[in-house]
Amino acid sequence: MLIRLQTDDPGEFQEAVAPADLKARVSTLDHAPFCAQLTLAKLPTTDLFHVHGENLKVVAPPHDYLSVTIPLASSFEAACAGVMHDFIPGTAHIAAGSEPFKLKLRDSNIIVARFSPRLIQRFADRLCSTGASNPLSLDRQISMKPATAQSFWRYLTYLWRESRSGSNIFASSSVAGELESTLLSLLLFSIDDQVGGLLRPQDAYVSPVHVRRAQDYIGANLLNPVSLADIAEAAGVSARTLTRAFQDRHGTSPIAYLRQLRLESAQRELLAADPAAETVTNVALKYGFYDPGRFATYYRKAFGERPSETLRR
């Protein structure tokens, strides 16, 4: 479904967006001359808007959907936690929560993606390692410059072009669903990359038993190749959850904890070794440090001297 409109009547604009079930009130900003151009593409569960508005004000009641609004040219104003902020090109407004949606366009060109409520939490839970993510409740600004946000933006513009061209890729509900799933997943990763914790398990708790299992596994495998996934599997929790638990209890990540134990073991071995029969490189390789220069850097940072100096002692 594709809707196109050019109007100087706020009421006509409000009727045009009604199929998207926005329940929005559209009015003139500061009683100035109103003008708006709208293109609305309704996909199976996603709405894509392109709006060029002059002196346009939109107010929608508290919502249970997630929307992202991106300025293409000039800035616009939108509410974050009830306070109006300016959004310039290179940023995006994310709305998902109980606050009313407020938008002001003085002379702005924007694109908006709005997602069905049944998709939001389901995909956040799917992307979360334990299947129970934090609730999506945020009204904020994110940058569109990081790589994850750029990926989302490229995919969004691709779907927008296809929807405007009347492409038949949306004719199949299963194909359209996959396309929309990818778009929403990229958006959620973009938000989580900058907000943090969005895709973290809700009320995740790791008992000391899980951390002890991880520590025991690390201690028993100092001489073996070990990945974060291996440690998390041995502990019985997700990698993300285990990493947060290690940060809380040790102030470091599981991999950094593993590296420190290996360095301490290497130090003990160097102290006990015969300099005429042993080399720093052999000890480094034994404990999984395949780059001697990097091993020396880690070692000096940990113990305040080069490994060769320890060996000579």
Side-chain angles (χ1 to χ4, degrees):
M1 177 179 180
L2 192 66
I3 297 173
R4 299 179 189 270
L5 173 72
Q6 180 170 344
T7 182
D8 57 6
D9 180 358
E12 188 176 11
F13 186 93
Q14 182 168 316
E15 290 179 7
V17 298
D21 194 30
L22 287 178
K23 299 181 176 62
R25 300 192 308 276
V26 180
S27 60
T28 298
L29 185 61
D30 300 329
H31 305 288
F34 176 95
C35 180
Q37 296 178 354
L38 165 72
T39 304
L40 165 60
K42 280 191 65 63
L43 308 183
T45 55
T46 302
D47 299 317
L48 300 178
F49 304 80
H50 177 268
V51 180
H52 177 241
E54 296 181 26
N55 304 312
L56 181 153
K57 180 179 180 181
V58 178
V59 178
H63 46 275
D64 59 355
Y65 55 82
L66 183 148
S67 68
V68 53
T69 305
I70 304 171
L72 303 178
S74 188
S75 62
F76 67 90
E77 293 180 72
C80 289
V83 179
M84 298 299 290
H85 293 271
D86 285 323
F87 290 81
I88 62 174
T91 64
H93 175 236
I94 306 297
S98 59
E99 295 292 328
F101 178 79
K102 298 179 181 179
L103 181 71
K104 295 180 180 180
L105 307 181
R106 299 188 182 278
D107 186 5
S108 306
N109 195 17
I110 64 172
I111 190 167
V112 184
R114 176 178 175 270
F115 299 95
S116 166
R118 67 176 179 272
L119 285 178
I120 301 169
Q121 201 69 54
R122 177 161 59 90
F123 276 94
D125 291 345
R126 179 185 296 180
L127 294 172
C128 178
S129 54
T130 65
S133 70
N134 282 322
L136 290 167
S137 180
L138 65 156
D139 291 274
R140 63 180 298 122
Q141 175 176 304
I142 66 169
S143 171
M144 295 303 295
K145 296 179 180 179
T148 50
Q150 285 290 304
S151 296
F152 165 74
W153 172 241
R154 286 191 295 268
Y155 199 76
L156 173 62
T157 54
Y158 161 72
L159 290 186
W160 173 246
R161 288 194 302 267
E162 291 297 304
S163 64
R164 289 192 64 183
S165 69
S167 170
N168 62 2
I169 64 172
F170 301 104
S172 166
S173 60
S174 60
V175 172
E178 290 298 322
L179 294 171
E180 293 173 326
S181 298
T182 301
L183 180 64
L184 184 53
S185 298
L186 289 172
L187 175 59
L188 291 175
F189 274 117
S190 300
I191 299 172
D192 188 60
D193 186 44
Q194 299 180 50
V195 176
L198 186 65
L199 302 180
R200 176 182 295 171
Q202 182 178 1
D203 297 325
Y205 173 72
V206 181
S207 73
V209 173
H210 292 101
V211 176
R212 173 55 63 184
R213 287 177 189 165
Q215 293 173 189
D216 290 345
Y217 180 82
I218 289 171
N221 288 275
L222 295 181
L223 302 180
N224 301 321
V226 172
S227 69
L228 177 59
D230 294 331
I231 302 170
E233 183 178 359
V237 293
S238 72
R240 182 189 293 268
T241 300
L242 182 64
T243 298
R244 187 173 65 154
F246 260 72
Q247 289 289 352
D248 291 343
R249 289 170 171 78
H250 297 294
T252 190
S253 69
I255 294 300
Y257 180 88
L258 167 64
R259 183 171 60 239
Q260 181 61 31
L261 290 188
R262 284 175 168 169
L263 287 169
E264 292 172 0
S265 295
Q267 182 193 43
R268 287 192 294 269
E269 194 151 329
L270 288 171
L271 284 169
D274 179 358
E278 186 60 278
T279 68
V280 169
T281 298
N282 285 341
V283 174
L285 290 173
K286 179 179 179 179
Y287 288 99
F289 296 97
Y290 300 107
D291 184 336
R294 183 167 294 180
F295 171 69
T297 299
Y298 286 141
Y299 192 95
R300 188 169 188 176
K301 184 177 180 181
F303 306 118
E305 65 179 8
R306 293 189 296 271
S308 57
E309 293 174 325
T310 303
L311 180 59
R312 285 197 298 269
R313 290 197 287 117

